[in-house]
Amino acid sequence: MSDFSVYCPHGPHAFRAVQDGPLHGLRLVYKDLYHVAGYHTGAGNPTWFNEHTAATKTSPVLDALFQAGIYVVGRVQTDELAYSLNGCNVHFGTPINPVTPDRLPGGSSSGSAVAVARGEADVGLGTDTGGSIRVPACYNGLYGIRPTHGRLPTFDMIPLAPCFDTPGWLCRDAKTLERVGEVVFLSPVQQPQNVSFLWADELFAMLPAALQAAVEPIRFASRTIATKTDNWAFPAERLADMSQTFRILQGREITRTHFEWVEPRLNAFAKDIAERFQWAATLTETEETQAKAAQVAWKEEIDAVLEQSFLILPTTPDLAPLRTASDADLADFRMKLLGLTALAGLAGLPQVHLPLVKVNGVPFGCSIIGKRGSDMTLLAIARLFSNVMSEA
């Protein structure tokens, strides 16, 4: 708790709301975007913390976990206002990735991921807008889910871009990920029947050769789980357009949500995040209208693809960047990364990361995207992959 790159100095910390429940025996950390009645929410930025009053209500998602008997370890750090995927915070420091200390932990759910990866919690509650669950899950070797957009409530928490924001969580094992889903979705465990997988072969082909080879055991495992596997013909060059469409829509939402408060306080933010806010404010209504049209077309396309199948794709375009990576390299990596994370984000679809391989000790894996509302089935499929891979 003394590591303020991971844990927030403000709480509440170290308590159990009820003595028993379906999540009794598990430990929780929660991202510093979730409101807890009577406590301040800091959003990873001291100026925000100092200028906002204590919350009057508790996030319903967080409260559902409280009422399920989970033990609350405490509140954990986020990138400032969740507007980054790196896991760096200029005010509190960059958490050490416990699996690969020379690489970034990923964000913005950095504290959630690192606390779980260190074994200090079993469940890391975070949020995902442009990849903030999926990316740190990949970098820290964790299971993570971005749920169907809108399935879980987002009020009583600090937003980034409401049209994309969703709660999500990270765990070291697939069974725990599924147990949390039972509580927050109020849904029983699923037993998938007649599963069909589509592999995004052209997206896997853009990975470095070592990573292409590393995911082959996952491909083999998919054949034992599914009744049918096939290729999804999606050209990798389309990712740049997906990234730009997402960035425009996200940027316009962020400007509407935060820029009135942020603009006179840009010096209170890290340079890269301040520049991102300034860029977002330059976007026009015409650009947004065009991006929305592209989003609608994409939703129709991917909905048709996923009506009978689940899509398997890379979560990230490479291993986690080194902590020594330059700002220019990180910015370039972000553009490639957003192209992949935008596929589910733009369509509001659920996505689960499977941390099933390592390359020279560095975590990697892939993701599965399902149709809207298939969250519990995705969690069950993640469990099946975990079982098959552990038996191999």
Side-chain angles (χ1 to χ4, degrees):
M1 297 292 288
S2 61
D3 182 354
F4 292 138
S5 71
V6 177
Y7 292 95
C8 299
H10 52 289
H13 301 306
F15 71 95
R16 191 190 306 278
V18 299
Q19 289 306 306
D20 200 7
L23 299 183
H24 182 83
L26 297 180
R27 300 162 297 162
L28 171 75
V29 291
Y30 62 97
K31 188 175 183 176
D32 193 21
L33 297 182
Y34 287 90
H35 292 329
V36 179
Y39 292 84
H40 282 72
T41 311
N45 182 275
T47 303
W48 180 281
F49 180 91
N50 292 331
E51 294 189 10
H52 288 78
T53 59
T56 59
K57 296 180 180 179
T58 298
S59 155
V61 175
L62 189 55
D63 191 55
L65 299 177
F66 290 172
Q67 299 309 314
I70 204 164
Y71 177 79
V72 182
V73 176
R75 188 187 297 265
V76 287
Q77 297 287 4
T78 173
D79 296 35
E80 296 176 273
L81 282 175
Y83 203 6
S84 178
L85 294 172
N86 293 329
C88 306
N89 189 303
V90 70
H91 310 286
F92 302 105
T94 302
I96 300 296
N97 183 324
V99 186
T100 53
D102 59 336
R103 295 179 182 270
L104 291 177
S108 61
S109 303
S110 54
S112 303
V114 170
V116 172
R118 293 201 307 205
E120 296 167 358
D122 305 296
V123 181
L125 184 64
T127 63
D128 192 303
T129 302
S132 291
I133 287 287
R134 295 163 285 171
V135 172
C138 186
Y139 292 0
N140 292 271
L142 302 172
Y143 291 86
I145 179 171
R146 173 203 166 83
T148 300
H149 185 260
R151 183 160 184 185
L152 298 178
T154 55
F155 47 87
D156 295 313
M157 55 186 282
I158 297 172
L160 176 61
C163 68
F164 297 118
D165 296 345
T166 178
W169 60 98
L170 310 105
C171 302
R172 289 187 302 280
D173 64 274
K175 182 57 182 173
T176 302
L177 199 78
E178 188 177 36
R179 286 178 64 187
V180 175
E182 289 183 83
V183 169
V184 298
F185 294 136
L186 299 174
S187 180
V189 171
Q190 303 278 325
Q191 297 300 331
Q193 302 286 329
N194 300 319
V195 175
S196 176
F197 288 133
L198 292 173
W199 278 78
D201 287 338
E202 292 190 49
L203 301 186
F204 281 102
M206 75 180 188
L207 298 176
L211 300 188
Q212 293 183 45
V215 300
E216 281 306 304
I218 304 177
R219 187 185 295 270
F220 181 81
S222 73
R223 299 190 186 105
T224 71
I225 294 170
T227 56
K228 179 183 178 183
T229 61
D230 207 341
N231 172 48
W232 180 52
F234 182 90
E237 54 266 25
R238 286 186 65 186
L239 292 180
D241 290 338
M242 306 297 286
S243 174
Q244 185 66 0
T245 298
F246 178 85
R247 291 177 67 232
I248 290 169
L249 294 175
Q250 181 196 43
R252 289 283 289 179
E253 279 271 287
I254 290 169
T255 298
R256 281 190 288 268
T257 304
H258 288 303
F259 200 66
E260 182 178 350
W261 185 86
V262 166
E263 184 178 24
R265 300 170 179 83
L266 285 168
N267 289 338
F269 290 86
K271 180 176 179 290
D272 63 320
I273 294 178
E275 289 175 348
R276 220 166 283 147
F277 277 120
Q278 290 175 302
W279 171 83
T282 68
L283 296 169
T284 67
E285 184 177 349
T286 298
E287 288 175 300
E288 183 178 20
T289 299
Q290 293 171 343
K292 281 184 175 178
Q295 180 187 29
V296 168
W298 167 245
K299 282 183 177 180
E300 293 176 353
E301 179 182 346
I302 192 65
D303 284 350
V305 168
L306 295 179
E307 185 57 39
Q308 302 295 330
S309 301
F310 292 87
L311 175 64
I312 303 180
L313 72 163
T315 306
T316 64
D318 206 336
L319 302 176
L322 294 169
R323 293 172 71 95
T324 55
S326 68
D327 291 345
D329 286 344
L330 289 177
D332 180 63
F333 190 84
R334 176 185 172 82
M335 293 302 101
K336 297 175 182 176
L337 182 56
L338 282 174
L340 288 171
T341 61
L343 299 178
L346 285 170
L349 300 175
Q351 180 173 342
V352 171
H353 173 72
L354 308 176
L356 296 177
V357 296
K358 287 187 176 181
V359 179
N360 297 322
V362 181
F364 196 65
C366 61
S367 280
I368 308 176
I369 297 176
K371 64 183 179 180
R372 287 178 191 80
S374 65
D375 309 67
M376 285 303 295
T377 305
L378 273 179
L379 292 176
I381 290 172
R383 170 170 44 83
L384 293 177
F385 266 101
S386 175
N387 292 342
V388 170
M389 294 288 286
S390 65
E391 294 168 359

